[in-house]
Amino acid sequence: MSYVSTDDIIAQVSTALMEDLGGSLTPANDITANLIPAAQQATATIITREHAVVCGKQWVEQAFALVDATLTLDWHVSDGDTVTPDTVLVSISGSARSILTAERTALNFLQTLSGTATVTAYYTSLLAGSKTRILDTRKTLPGLRMAQKYAVKCGGGTNHRIGLFDAYLIKENHIFACGSIDKAVATAKASHPQKMVEVEVENQHELQQALDAGADIIMLDNFTNEQIESAVALNQGKSKLEVSGNVTDERLRSLAKIGVDFISSGALTKHVQAIDLSLRVTIK
């Protein structure tokens, strides 16, 4: 989690809690929880109702801590663990009011990030035995870029560039505005020689131009499998090859056999299927 700071997690969780609490971190604003006597203590468990890869522990911890620092959590799993239905993920004890106030925010983060990790693990399993790695994209939920990219790592995937600042991805409109693939790549390498330069191409002619320009990675956009095979033969290991577009789980195995280096999929982070979780409370 080197690029997910505690400050970022606190900011994300605080924003989510304030959506529930009328714009401020004031647990007393939870009018339904206030029906419970203030001194009432409880224990609770979060369980999963389906198979999943766990991700989001620190977001859960911050959700409960920001509501009530006296709550205690006892985790039975770690991020990246694979779990089966009815597995207890974490036990919580303390104020019944506080547990119920933090419940939904904690579950929202845990179910969303675990959903991203779980689908990534599934995609990764389809590439087992090959050199091909699954990449995420910038198609993340707004405000959760780092969180979802961390979830991809928990699921065994590989992060593409984090944003617009850490690597070049030269697409059709960039090429048009710059004048040519060669000009765009040359300018990129002169401007930031230490940064990776990737070029998106739509046909074999553009692929050859990108190879001649010295692109580090070439993205084959919406190529058929036959076109990808031709691209691998033409490339001869000069650049890393990435496949993007029309990537389905059914197609992953065949793409891995062709021998590309990367397959990128926005589905890992934008088509999030939240994991079915449940919090169960026991009053002391």
PDB file of all heavy atoms in Angstrom, residues 220-223 243-248 251 255 264:
ATOM      1  N   LEU A 220      -2.471  -2.528 -28.426  1.00  0.00           N
ATOM      2  CA  LEU A 220      -3.206  -2.973 -29.607  1.00  0.00           C
ATOM      3  C   LEU A 220      -4.690  -2.794 -29.318  1.00  0.00           C
ATOM      4  O   LEU A 220      -5.290  -3.568 -28.569  1.00  0.00           O
ATOM      5  CB  LEU A 220      -2.875  -4.430 -29.912  1.00  0.00           C
ATOM      6  CG  LEU A 220      -1.380  -4.776 -29.977  1.00  0.00           C
ATOM      7  CD1 LEU A 220      -1.188  -6.274 -30.176  1.00  0.00           C
ATOM      8  CD2 LEU A 220      -0.689  -3.979 -31.083  1.00  0.00           C
ATOM      9  N   ASP A 221      -5.282  -1.748 -29.890  1.00  0.00           N
ATOM     10  CA  ASP A 221      -6.651  -1.365 -29.559  1.00  0.00           C
ATOM     11  C   ASP A 221      -7.647  -2.072 -30.461  1.00  0.00           C
ATOM     12  O   ASP A 221      -7.674  -1.861 -31.675  1.00  0.00           O
ATOM     13  CB  ASP A 221      -6.808   0.154 -29.686  1.00  0.00           C
ATOM     14  CG  ASP A 221      -8.186   0.631 -29.275  1.00  0.00           C
ATOM     15  OD1 ASP A 221      -8.709   0.106 -28.279  1.00  0.00           O
ATOM     16  OD2 ASP A 221      -8.731   1.514 -29.951  1.00  0.00           O
ATOM     17  N   ASN A 222      -8.473  -2.931 -29.859  1.00  0.00           N
ATOM     18  CA  ASN A 222      -9.530  -3.637 -30.582  1.00  0.00           C
ATOM     19  C   ASN A 222      -9.008  -4.460 -31.753  1.00  0.00           C
ATOM     20  O   ASN A 222      -9.671  -4.565 -32.791  1.00  0.00           O
ATOM     21  CB  ASN A 222     -10.610  -2.656 -31.051  1.00  0.00           C
ATOM     22  CG  ASN A 222     -11.497  -2.178 -29.915  1.00  0.00           C
ATOM     23  OD1 ASN A 222     -12.090  -2.981 -29.207  1.00  0.00           O
ATOM     24  ND2 ASN A 222     -11.573  -0.866 -29.742  1.00  0.00           N
ATOM     25  N   PHE A 223      -7.835  -5.065 -31.594  1.00  0.00           N
ATOM     26  CA  PHE A 223      -7.309  -5.991 -32.589  1.00  0.00           C
ATOM     27  C   PHE A 223      -8.026  -7.339 -32.440  1.00  0.00           C
ATOM     28  O   PHE A 223      -8.375  -7.758 -31.326  1.00  0.00           O
ATOM     29  CB  PHE A 223      -5.814  -6.217 -32.384  1.00  0.00           C
ATOM     30  CG  PHE A 223      -4.911  -5.188 -33.014  1.00  0.00           C
ATOM     31  CD1 PHE A 223      -5.191  -3.826 -32.947  1.00  0.00           C
ATOM     32  CD2 PHE A 223      -3.757  -5.575 -33.680  1.00  0.00           C
ATOM     33  CE1 PHE A 223      -4.356  -2.881 -33.506  1.00  0.00           C
ATOM     34  CE2 PHE A 223      -2.903  -4.638 -34.248  1.00  0.00           C
ATOM     35  CZ  PHE A 223      -3.194  -3.288 -34.161  1.00  0.00           C
ATOM     36  N   VAL A 243      -2.862  -5.645 -24.942  1.00  0.00           N
ATOM     37  CA  VAL A 243      -4.140  -5.763 -25.646  1.00  0.00           C
ATOM     38  C   VAL A 243      -5.208  -5.029 -24.850  1.00  0.00           C
ATOM     39  O   VAL A 243      -5.290  -5.162 -23.627  1.00  0.00           O
ATOM     40  CB  VAL A 243      -4.530  -7.246 -25.811  1.00  0.00           C
ATOM     41  CG1 VAL A 243      -5.953  -7.361 -26.370  1.00  0.00           C
ATOM     42  CG2 VAL A 243      -3.547  -7.959 -26.722  1.00  0.00           C
ATOM     43  N   SER A 244      -6.034  -4.266 -25.557  1.00  0.00           N
ATOM     44  CA  SER A 244      -7.115  -3.529 -24.906  1.00  0.00           C
ATOM     45  C   SER A 244      -8.327  -3.512 -25.823  1.00  0.00           C
ATOM     46  O   SER A 244      -8.191  -3.509 -27.048  1.00  0.00           O
ATOM     47  CB  SER A 244      -6.680  -2.094 -24.602  1.00  0.00           C
ATOM     48  OG  SER A 244      -7.714  -1.379 -23.958  1.00  0.00           O
ATOM     49  N   GLY A 245      -9.501  -3.511 -25.230  1.00  0.00           N
ATOM     50  CA  GLY A 245     -10.722  -3.449 -26.010  1.00  0.00           C
ATOM     51  C   GLY A 245     -11.320  -4.818 -26.248  1.00  0.00           C
ATOM     52  O   GLY A 245     -10.629  -5.759 -26.649  1.00  0.00           O
ATOM     53  N   ASN A 246     -12.608  -4.949 -25.979  1.00  0.00           N
ATOM     54  CA  ASN A 246     -13.337  -6.207 -26.182  1.00  0.00           C
ATOM     55  C   ASN A 246     -12.689  -7.369 -25.440  1.00  0.00           C
ATOM     56  O   ASN A 246     -12.588  -8.483 -25.950  1.00  0.00           O
ATOM     57  CB  ASN A 246     -13.449  -6.524 -27.679  1.00  0.00           C
ATOM     58  CG  ASN A 246     -14.456  -7.626 -27.967  1.00  0.00           C
ATOM     59  OD1 ASN A 246     -15.438  -7.790 -27.245  1.00  0.00           O
ATOM     60  ND2 ASN A 246     -14.206  -8.386 -29.008  1.00  0.00           N
ATOM     61  N   VAL A 247     -12.228  -7.086 -24.224  1.00  0.00           N
ATOM     62  CA  VAL A 247     -11.601  -8.124 -23.407  1.00  0.00           C
ATOM     63  C   VAL A 247     -12.659  -8.720 -22.485  1.00  0.00           C
ATOM     64  O   VAL A 247     -13.164  -8.055 -21.581  1.00  0.00           O
ATOM     65  CB  VAL A 247     -10.427  -7.555 -22.580  1.00  0.00           C
ATOM     66  CG1 VAL A 247      -9.867  -8.625 -21.647  1.00  0.00           C
ATOM     67  CG2 VAL A 247      -9.336  -7.035 -23.500  1.00  0.00           C
ATOM     68  N   THR A 248     -13.009  -9.959 -22.733  1.00  0.00           N
ATOM     69  CA  THR A 248     -13.973 -10.669 -21.899  1.00  0.00           C
ATOM     70  C   THR A 248     -13.266 -11.833 -21.217  1.00  0.00           C
ATOM     71  O   THR A 248     -12.180 -12.251 -21.626  1.00  0.00           O
ATOM     72  CB  THR A 248     -15.120 -11.221 -22.746  1.00  0.00           C
ATOM     73  OG1 THR A 248     -14.590 -12.161 -23.700  1.00  0.00           O
ATOM     74  CG2 THR A 248     -15.822 -10.093 -23.502  1.00  0.00           C
ATOM     75  N   ARG A 251     -12.430 -14.591 -23.520  1.00  0.00           N
ATOM     76  CA  ARG A 251     -11.359 -14.358 -24.488  1.00  0.00           C
ATOM     77  C   ARG A 251      -9.976 -14.370 -23.853  1.00  0.00           C
ATOM     78  O   ARG A 251      -8.960 -14.508 -24.553  1.00  0.00           O
ATOM     79  CB  ARG A 251     -11.589 -13.011 -25.180  1.00  0.00           C
ATOM     80  CG  ARG A 251     -10.723 -12.794 -26.409  1.00  0.00           C
ATOM     81  CD  ARG A 251     -10.967 -11.426 -27.018  1.00  0.00           C
ATOM     82  NE  ARG A 251     -10.086 -11.188 -28.142  1.00  0.00           N
ATOM     83  CZ  ARG A 251      -9.677  -9.986 -28.535  1.00  0.00           C
ATOM     84  NH1 ARG A 251     -10.102  -8.906 -27.890  1.00  0.00           N
ATOM     85  NH2 ARG A 251      -8.864  -9.843 -29.561  1.00  0.00           N
ATOM     86  N   LEU A 255      -6.064 -15.104 -25.541  1.00  0.00           N
ATOM     87  CA  LEU A 255      -5.101 -14.009 -25.647  1.00  0.00           C
ATOM     88  C   LEU A 255      -3.788 -14.362 -24.961  1.00  0.00           C
ATOM     89  O   LEU A 255      -2.700 -14.035 -25.443  1.00  0.00           O
ATOM     90  CB  LEU A 255      -5.681 -12.729 -25.035  1.00  0.00           C
ATOM     91  CG  LEU A 255      -6.818 -12.065 -25.804  1.00  0.00           C
ATOM     92  CD1 LEU A 255      -7.396 -10.905 -25.002  1.00  0.00           C
ATOM     93  CD2 LEU A 255      -6.344 -11.581 -27.160  1.00  0.00           C
ATOM     94  N   SER A 264      -5.217  -5.172 -20.644  1.00  0.00           N
ATOM     95  CA  SER A 264      -5.811  -4.174 -19.749  1.00  0.00           C
ATOM     96  C   SER A 264      -7.328  -4.251 -19.830  1.00  0.00           C
ATOM     97  O   SER A 264      -7.891  -4.470 -20.907  1.00  0.00           O
ATOM     98  CB  SER A 264      -5.326  -2.762 -20.094  1.00  0.00           C
ATOM     99  OG  SER A 264      -5.619  -2.437 -21.440  1.00  0.00           O
TER     100      SER A 264
END
